[in-house]
mmCIF file of all heavy atoms in Angstrom:
data_model
loop_
_atom_site.group_PDB
_atom_site.id
_atom_site.type_symbol
_atom_site.label_atom_id
_atom_site.label_comp_id
_atom_site.label_asym_id
_atom_site.label_seq_id
_atom_site.Cartn_x
_atom_site.Cartn_y
_atom_site.Cartn_z
ATOM 1 N N ILE A 38 77.603 -23.874 2.326
ATOM 2 C CA ILE A 38 78.219 -23.021 1.307
ATOM 3 C C ILE A 38 78.250 -21.574 1.788
ATOM 4 O O ILE A 38 79.265 -20.877 1.655
ATOM 5 C CB ILE A 38 77.457 -23.147 -0.028
ATOM 6 C CG1 ILE A 38 77.635 -24.551 -0.612
ATOM 7 C CG2 ILE A 38 77.950 -22.091 -1.025
ATOM 8 C CD1 ILE A 38 76.718 -24.849 -1.787
ATOM 9 N N ASP A 88 96.359 -25.325 -7.469
ATOM 10 C CA ASP A 88 96.451 -24.096 -6.683
ATOM 11 C C ASP A 88 96.832 -24.508 -5.262
ATOM 12 O O ASP A 88 96.280 -25.479 -4.727
ATOM 13 C CB ASP A 88 95.103 -23.389 -6.615
ATOM 14 C CG ASP A 88 94.758 -22.606 -7.870
ATOM 15 O OD1 ASP A 88 95.443 -22.774 -8.897
ATOM 16 O OD2 ASP A 88 93.786 -21.826 -7.825
ATOM 17 N N PRO A 167 100.760 -27.250 7.427
ATOM 18 C CA PRO A 167 102.197 -27.141 7.757
ATOM 19 C C PRO A 167 102.537 -27.498 9.195
ATOM 20 O O PRO A 167 103.574 -28.114 9.456
ATOM 21 C CB PRO A 167 102.497 -25.669 7.449
ATOM 22 C CG PRO A 167 101.528 -25.304 6.379
ATOM 23 C CD PRO A 167 100.259 -26.041 6.726
ATOM 24 N N HIS A 191 108.584 -40.362 -23.850
ATOM 25 C CA HIS A 191 109.906 -40.995 -23.910
ATOM 26 C C HIS A 191 110.008 -42.189 -22.961
ATOM 27 O O HIS A 191 111.118 -42.663 -22.676
ATOM 28 C CB HIS A 191 110.985 -39.968 -23.576
ATOM 29 C CG HIS A 191 110.984 -38.772 -24.486
ATOM 30 N ND1 HIS A 191 111.328 -38.863 -25.813
ATOM 31 C CD2 HIS A 191 110.653 -37.480 -24.255
ATOM 32 C CE1 HIS A 191 111.220 -37.661 -26.373
ATOM 33 N NE2 HIS A 191 110.807 -36.810 -25.456
#
Side-chain angles (χ1 to χ4, degrees):
I38 293 169
D88 281 12
H191 302 292

